[in-house]
């Protein structure tokens, strides 16, 4: 499984890409007064910048709990022997308890110590071995004895060297290379080094003399991945004026010096052709060699480090192709490819239209990933098998803050996304085979930020069995461990063991208590992580954790399972580093501790019993463990040091004498893979494996294969997961299989990339798990219907500038980029008007990605527009260019429906807020003369009905940003206030697009329920919490000029009935159904209009009515009952209606427009600025005479 690089970040090394040896650093040596105190553990390695790490059972360093004695097997009964012979046997038995612990694949590494001693002038010959020891440890009564041979070797003269890099060239090789060096931290370079070589699995080492009589300083060495006999050393002169390469083709037996003219920072071997190498220099240049470093040619300059990739075999057609991210002269970054024979500006190919973010290019297996950021919006793109780039489709409101690629194995992408509401957790998503559409697998996977912005995500792939993952989920502050057997479709807790390591009951019973494991990746590359798995030992998992309701950080008890997580056993009470030998036939464990030790433990029966072995006579600080690549042999190496000022010591531990024969078929037994529910059909097949019998005493050998048989199963519901746009109501519950469409996803619409003449398949909400091989049975996709793509109108048309600034200087080149998110591309014409007289018509403009280059010679404001049009419809994008200063980004808040001649508030939201420095430019319609304000709002009116485009720009210094909205102006419409159930507030990111989508789904549901035309309904969701909305009921097109409409009254009653009957609801993440109801079920709708003639008649009638009433009062001087009380109430009401709107109220609660009064006044209500409605029955006459003054206020609700 590939390591998880982050888009826009430095990825870690991948398969087929050799990397320099990792470096492990030990702290400085303690002062003399503290020399007898225990030494601290080696600190953790620094991981590459901005990357996520998915644990593979890799190495880890941490302090363990206080040591506890390991259970030893009882020795055979003593026999009556003479005293001298008895003493001899006792000494031999004591030495037989020694055993060694290798870890992981052999790879170079470095270890650092403190005080520097004078340099050792010796450069030749090998130091003598300390000696070899052979002891026998009894494993159990009646079993054969385990005979281990331990041989120690001290690298004499390297006590001053504070780093060591170890590499076992392996497979089928006995050669081990060790590079020790003194690295000066303050100077940042290597001052001394020694290279040691062993050709007998580490029994003896010889110091190599590369240049007799000349001190040679080696910075690093690199091993060819396809032919490990080929090695390149990088050497620097003492004055740092030049560098040289030392090249070997015989595993380091001989080297040839090759001077170079540049300074190497890293070398990258070709994954298939062993003599081709790329060199990245400290000057960001890339050189290429096709003869193993003997000759070099400059390939490219201004290249991003760690974003250089050789061609992938089987995907890239040309093996000499190189993928690179380079910086262009303008400062932006681009993704290019070129051949190593010729990579000039004329021959290189730009693979992505437009610029990319720095450090975002990732080439991995069948996929290429990159990201772009424009303003405050980041988009992620993927290319599958070198096809065109397509935007990755996460759930619409995931709104990722960060995205980490976890895996690209088996034609599928796993990504971890930190969404807008998360801080220390990520959500895990799984893609379709093309890597485009993503469905959620698990929420709130724990993450940890490390120094230099590294991100560690608690998810681990169990190696050896495909589809099995472990993950730590953090919910309400508690961390629990989950396991999946079907690639994340279902997750379950780990079953706790019934007994502890001492045979006592654990008293841990589900659902209150489970087993939880630490899933940390080791910083030291020479030790295992907290969970250890191997491809060569399927089903065998060892990990550190605890029993309880949640994971406890300081508890690191060791547990083991040999059936892939079904049953667990406790083996140790403190954390150990683990190494598997002979396909897991021998398990070696050494305590993770900060004190020196000389004992290791081993098991030959899958951890059921353990023996101990003294691997050295003197306790040492263990720096690492090593075995031959593949873990197929029984030889391992322990390396460390006695003190921080001592020489390096290496101990070879050989288990081979303990096993005298190779296993036969009779020595194996089979076991079947099952999940925690006991199902044998996993990922569509029944799989059985074989393992060595506990009673057998033999070597599995290199030819051993663990997979035994597989049988295809019939498909069941668990073989399917939710398709894009759908979610399960209870993602963690295995019994919940039904998928529901998210509210923003319209299942009836064709996909956005659907082209005329093509066919598409409508989703049933389910898709088969990738790599699942089940056949027949249940088919949740059987009702898939094929449809022909209709001609789709263009939508989401965007025009932007490659330089990301709308404020330019006269004569400066501008590159316009036109993008279209939806609609047909092949049959659409694009009319471009650059505002200075230049006009052109393009075909397939957004498909080809062809940029539009232009230059404005004179200062001014230019309206640049692009209109996309086909037979199905059209869309338009407008951008205003100021030839003066730059532009950034903002959001325009406006009610989309207003009444004619009614005041409307336009509000611009800018982040960050610079109220005293920002100038706002407002364009109404196509007017080139904007209105300028220092406030972020503008109150205006629209005199004519129709669609009016409103555009705003905000300028602050040299930065500027634009947003544009279309406002619909009508004479008459009704407004109904709506409210939602509280669950919607939990998932309200409070951004305009989210509010628009919620409004659209409410409108669509109402139209479907009431059979009212969707074109006459518009739901506007207001900013802020709690989430509320206004439903605008527009008059039909054939009744827009009528003053009154009986039909509209019937529609209002129908809508109210639907809302009051609780018939309008939609599905939300988390399994919630959101109910839409009236905010005040007893109130009538407000009718807003702008018909001046009708208003004049009504006002004239009311004036006459009041005049007649006044005349009657005066004429007859009759005292009306309660007149004083009436006057007092009238005055109070007038004060309420004429006071300004409180500035704490949300502007969106103000209904733009005057109140339309129907003939039947008793049936009307008045909507106050606070959104409350009051009945007019009691005070109709006085209220109609009152002047109403409404002060608009800027919307201050955050929209990010």
């Amino acid at each position: 499984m590939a390591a998880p690089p982050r888009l826009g970040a430095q990825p870690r090394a991948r398969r087929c890409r050799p990397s320099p040896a990792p470096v492990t650093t030990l702290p400085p040596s303690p002062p003399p007064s503290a020399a007898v105190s225990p030494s601290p553990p080696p600190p953790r390695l620094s991981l590459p910048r901005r990357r996520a790490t998915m644990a593979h059972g890799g190495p880890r360093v941490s302090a363990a709990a206080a040591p506890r004695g390991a259970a030893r097997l009882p020795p055979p009964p003593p026999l009556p022997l003479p005293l001298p012979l008895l003493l001899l046997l006792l000494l031999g038995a004591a030495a037989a308890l020694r055993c060694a612990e290798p870890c992981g694949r052999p790879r170079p590494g470095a270890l650092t110590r403190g005080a520097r001693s004078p340099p050792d002038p010796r450069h030749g010959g090998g130091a003598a071995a300390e000696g070899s020891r052979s002891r026998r440890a009894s494993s159990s009564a009646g079993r054969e004895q385990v005979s281990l041979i331990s041989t120690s070797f001290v690298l004499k003269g390297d006590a001053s060297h504070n780093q060591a890099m170890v590499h076992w060239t392996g497979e089928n090789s006995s050669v081990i290379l060790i590079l020790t060096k003194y690295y000066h931290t303050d100077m940042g370079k290597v001052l001394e080094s020694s290279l040691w070589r062993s050709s007998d699995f580490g029994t003896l080492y010889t110091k190599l003399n590369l240049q007799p009589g000349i001190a040679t300083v080696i910075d690093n060495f690199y091993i060819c991945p396809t032919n490990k006999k080929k090695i390149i050393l990088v050497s620097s002169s003492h004055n740092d004026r030049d560098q040289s390469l030392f090249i070997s083709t015989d595993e380091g037996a001989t080297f040839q010096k090759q001077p170079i003219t540049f300074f190497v920072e890293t070398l990258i071997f070709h994954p298939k052709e062993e003599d081709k190498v790329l060199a990245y220099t400290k000057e960001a240049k890339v050189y290429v060699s096709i003869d193993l470093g003997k000759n070099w040619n400059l390939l490219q300059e201004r290249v991003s480090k760690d974003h250089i990739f050789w061609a992938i075999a089987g995907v890239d057609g040309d093996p000499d192709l190189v993928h690179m991210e380079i910086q262009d002269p303008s400062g932006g970054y681009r993704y290019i490819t070129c051949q190593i024979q010729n990579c000039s500006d004329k021959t290189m190919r730009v693979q992505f239209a437009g610029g990319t973010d720095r450090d975002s290019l990732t080439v991995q297996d069948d996929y290429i990933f990159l990201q772009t950021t424009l303003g405050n919006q980041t988009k992620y793109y993927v290319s599958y098998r070198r096809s065109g780039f397509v935007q990755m489709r996460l759930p619409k409101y995931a709104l990722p803050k960060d995205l980490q690629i976890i895996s690209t194995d088996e034609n599928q992408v796993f990504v971890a996304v930190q969404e807008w509401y998360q801080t220390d957790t990520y959500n895990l998503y799984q893609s379709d085979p093309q890597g485009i559409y993503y469905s959620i697998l698990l929420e709130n996977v724990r993450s940890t930020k490390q120094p230099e912005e590294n991100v560690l995500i608690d998810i681990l792939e169990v190696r050896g069995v495909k589809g099995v993952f472990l993950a730590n989920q953090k919910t309400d502050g508690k961390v629990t461990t989950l396991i999946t057997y079907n690639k994340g479709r279902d997750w379950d807790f780990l079953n706790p063991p019934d007994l502890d390591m001492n045979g006592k009951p654990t008293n841990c019973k589900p659902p209150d208590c489970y087993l939880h494991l630490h899933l940390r990746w080791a910083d030291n590359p020479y030790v295992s992580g907290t969970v250890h798995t191997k491809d060569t030992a399927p089903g065998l998992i060892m990990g550190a954790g605890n029993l309880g309701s949640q994971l406890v950080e300081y508890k690191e008890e060791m547990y083991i399972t040999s059936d892939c997580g079904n049953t667990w056993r406790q083996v140790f009470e403190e954390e150990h580093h683990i190494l598997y030998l002979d396909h897991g036939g021998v398990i070696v464990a050494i305590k993770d501790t900060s004190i020196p030790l000389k004992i290791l433990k081993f098991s030959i029966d899958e951890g059921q019993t353990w023996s101990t072995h003294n691997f050295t006579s003197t306790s040492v600080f263990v720096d690492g463990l090593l075995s031959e690549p593949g873990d197929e042999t029984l030889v391992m190496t322990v390396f460390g040091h006695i003190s921080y000022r001592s020489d390096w010591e290496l101990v070879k531990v050989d288990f081979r004498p303990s096993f005298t024969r190779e296993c036969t078929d009779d020595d194996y037994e089979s076991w079947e893979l099952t999940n925690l529910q006991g199902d044998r059909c996993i990922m569509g097949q029944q799989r059985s494996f074989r393992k060595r019998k506990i009673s057998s005493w033999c070597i599995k050998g290199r030819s051993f294969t663990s997979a035994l048989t597989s049988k295809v199963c019939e498909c069941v519901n668990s073989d399917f997961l939710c398709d894009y746009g759908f979610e399960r109501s209870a993602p963690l519950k295995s019994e919940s299989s039904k998928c529901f469409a998210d509210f923003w996803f319209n299942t009836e619409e064709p996909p956005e990339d659907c082209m005329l003449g093509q066919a598409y398949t409508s989703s049933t909400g389910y898709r088969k798990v990738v790599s699942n091989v089940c056949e027949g049975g249940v088919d949740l996709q059987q009702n898939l219907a094929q449809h022909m793509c209709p001609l789709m109108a263009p939508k989401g048309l965007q025009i932007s500038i490659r330089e990301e600034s709308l404020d330019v200087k006269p004569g400066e080149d501008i590159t316009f980029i036109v993008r279209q998110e939806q609609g047909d591309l092949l049959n659409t014409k694009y009319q471009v008007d650059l505002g200075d007289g230049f006009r052109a018509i393009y075909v397939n403009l957004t498909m080809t990605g062809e940029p539009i280059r232009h230059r404005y010679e004179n200062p001014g404001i230019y309206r640049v527009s692009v209109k996309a049009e086909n037979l199905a419809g059209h869309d338009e994008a407008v951008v205003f260019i100021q030839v003066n200063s730059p532009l950034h980004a903002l959001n325009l808040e406006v009610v989309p429906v207003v009444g004619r001649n009614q005041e409307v508030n336009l509000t611009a939201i800018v982040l960050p807020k610079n109220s005293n420095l920002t100038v706002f430019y407002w364009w109404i319609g196509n007017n080139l003369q904007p209105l300028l304000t220092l406030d972020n709002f503008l109150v205006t009116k629209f005199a004519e009905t129709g669609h009016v485009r409103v555009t705003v720009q905000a300028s602050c210094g040299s930065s500027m940003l634009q947003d544009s909205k279309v406002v619909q102006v009508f004479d008459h419409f009704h407004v109904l206030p709506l409210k939602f159930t509280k669950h919607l507030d939990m998932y309200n990111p409070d951004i305009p697009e989210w509010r628009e989508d919620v409004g659209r789904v409410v409108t669509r549901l109402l139209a479907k329920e009431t059979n009212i035309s969707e074109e006459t309904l518009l739901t506007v969701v207001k900013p802020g919490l709690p989430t509320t909305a206004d439903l605008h009921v527009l008059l039909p097109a054939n009744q827009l000029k009528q003053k009154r409409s009986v039909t509209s009254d019937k529609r209002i009653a129908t809508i109210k009935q639907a809302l009051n009957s609780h018939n309008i609801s939609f599905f939300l993440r988390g399994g919630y159904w959101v109910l839409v109801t009236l905010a005040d079920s007893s109130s009538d709708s407000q009718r807003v209009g702008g018909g001046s003639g009708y208003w004049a008649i009504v006002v004239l009638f009311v004036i006459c009515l009041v005049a007649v009433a006044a005349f009657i009062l005066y004429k007859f001087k009759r005292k009306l009952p309660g007149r004083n009380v009436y006057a007092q109430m009238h005055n109070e009401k007038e004060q309420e209606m004429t006071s300004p709107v409180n500035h704490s109220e949300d502007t969106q609660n103000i209904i733009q427009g005057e109140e339309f009064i129907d003939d039947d006044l008793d049936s009307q209500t008045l909507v106050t600025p606070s959104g409350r409605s009051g009945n007019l029955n009691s005070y109709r006459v006085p209220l109609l005479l009152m002047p109403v003054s409404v002060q608009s206020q800027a919307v201050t609700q955050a929209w990010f």
Side-chain angles (χ1 to χ4, degrees), residues 847-859:
M847 173 172 285
T848 61
E850 178 184 357
I852 302 173
R853 295 180 175 88
H854 194 65
R855 179 183 299 173
Y856 294 98
E857 300 295 341
N858 301 318

Side-chain angles (χ1 to χ4, degrees), residues 834-1057:
L834 299 184
D836 62 347
F838 176 86
R839 294 180 176 86
I841 298 178
Y842 296 86
V843 180
N844 300 336
L845 178 63
T846 57
M847 173 172 285
T848 61
E850 178 184 357
I852 302 173
R853 295 180 175 88
H854 194 65
R855 179 183 299 173
Y856 294 98
E857 300 295 341
N858 301 318
I861 299 174
Y862 300 89
R863 182 182 186 272
V864 179
S865 64
V866 177
K867 184 177 182 181
E869 187 174 13
N870 57 32
L871 295 178
H874 64 85
D875 194 11
E876 183 181 15
V878 177
V879 64
F880 287 86
I881 302 297
Q882 291 193 14
V883 184
N884 189 5
S885 58
L887 169 68
H888 289 187
L890 61 91
N891 181 65
L892 176 61
E893 293 279 359
V894 59
V895 176
V897 176
V898 299
R900 182 164 59 90
N901 290 327
Q902 306 305 306
E903 286 187 341
V904 57
N905 182 60
L906 312 176
T907 304
I909 307 299
V910 180
L911 291 178
K913 299 177 181 178
N914 296 310
S915 56
N916 296 329
L917 302 175
T918 306
V919 180
F920 296 88
Y921 302 81
W922 306 87
W923 282 272
I924 309 298
N926 295 328
N927 189 2
L928 290 179
Q929 297 299 324
L931 299 175
L932 273 65
T933 65
L934 295 177
D935 295 322
N936 67 331
F937 65 93
L938 175 69
V939 178
T940 186
K941 298 180 180 180
F942 300 98
E944 301 294 333
T945 59
H947 293 68
V948 180
R949 179 176 291 275
V950 178
T951 304
V952 63
Q953 288 185 348
S955 175
C956 182
S958 60
S959 61
M960 186 173 292
L961 184 67
Q962 171 185 305
D963 195 13
S964 183
K965 296 288 175 64
V966 175
V967 179
Q968 302 180 58
V969 184
F970 294 94
D971 275 330
H972 310 287
F973 58 93
H974 288 266
V975 179
L976 284 171
L978 305 178
K979 65 179 181 180
F980 306 86
T981 48
K982 63 180 181 179
H983 303 301
L984 188 59
D985 293 344
M986 299 167 53
Y987 297 93
N988 183 352
D990 202 16
I991 63 172
E993 191 175 8
W994 184 89
R995 295 194 292 268
E996 291 172 5
D997 269 358
V998 173
R1000 275 194 288 267
V1001 72
V1002 173
T1003 300
R1004 186 170 66 248
L1005 293 173
L1006 278 170
K1008 186 176 181 180
E1009 179 68 21
T1010 62
N1011 293 325
I1012 299 175
S1013 174
E1014 190 172 343
E1015 286 74 16
T1016 63
L1017 301 178
L1018 179 63
T1019 305
V1020 179
V1021 180
K1022 303 177 182 179
L1025 296 175
T1027 309
T1028 59
D1030 282 336
L1031 173 64
H1032 296 74
V1033 184
L1034 312 179
L1035 293 179
N1038 58 352
Q1039 298 179 0
L1040 288 178
K1041 296 184 179 180
Q1042 299 181 16
K1043 298 179 181 178
R1044 301 183 59 199
S1045 173
V1046 177
T1047 305
S1048 64
D1049 294 337
K1050 293 181 179 180
R1051 290 184 302 151
I1052 296 298
T1054 304
I1055 293 172
K1056 286 185 177 182
Q1057 182 180 358

Side-chain angles (χ1 to χ4, degrees), residues 123-171:
H123 290 279
E130 279 192 357
S132 61
R133 292 169 293 275
S134 177
R135 302 288 189 272
R136 291 184 181 273
S138 299
S139 57
S140 61
R143 294 285 305 270
E144 298 181 48
Q145 290 182 325
V146 179
S147 179
L148 305 182
I149 300 177
S150 298
T151 305
S152 297
F153 189 91
V154 178
L155 305 181
K156 295 293 186 180
D158 288 349
S160 63
H161 294 183
N162 56 7
Q163 290 186 352
M165 301 168 59
V166 187
H167 179 76
W168 195 324
T169 58
E171 290 121 359

Side-chain angles (χ1 to χ4, degrees), residues 180-245:
T180 65
K181 51 188 178 179
Y182 170 57
Y183 179 81
H184 196 287
T185 306
D186 296 335
M187 298 178 65
K189 65 178 182 179
V190 179
L191 300 183
E192 301 173 9
S193 68
S194 298
L195 182 64
W196 299 78
R197 184 177 185 270
S198 172
S199 58
D200 54 5
F201 293 98
T203 302
L204 295 175
Y205 288 86
T206 302
K207 182 184 288 188
L208 302 181
N209 193 348
L210 300 177
Q211 299 182 98
I214 302 176
T216 304
V217 178
I218 302 173
D219 298 323
N220 221 324
F221 63 78
Y222 298 84
I223 313 296
C224 177
T226 55
N227 184 357
K228 294 187 178 181
K229 294 183 178 181
K230 296 187 176 182
I231 304 169
I232 298 180
L233 309 180
V234 179
S235 173
S236 299
S237 62
H238 284 285
N239 54 15
D240 289 335
R241 292 183 178 178
D242 54 56
Q243 272 191 341
S244 299
L245 303 179

Side-chain angles (χ1 to χ4, degrees), residues 580-623:
Y580 296 158
L581 299 176
D582 190 31
H583 305 273
V586 176
I587 306 174
V588 182
I590 191 166
K591 188 186 301 182
D592 179 4
T593 179
S594 60
I595 63 175
L597 48 80
K598 57 182 178 180
I599 295 177
L600 59 78
K601 306 163 189 176
F602 66 93
S603 173
I604 60 172
D605 52 12
E606 297 180 341
Q608 295 189 23
T609 59
W610 293 85
S611 302
T612 60
H613 173 69
N614 291 340
F615 61 88
T616 183
S617 59
T618 304
S619 297
V620 298
F621 294 98
V622 176
D623 297 323

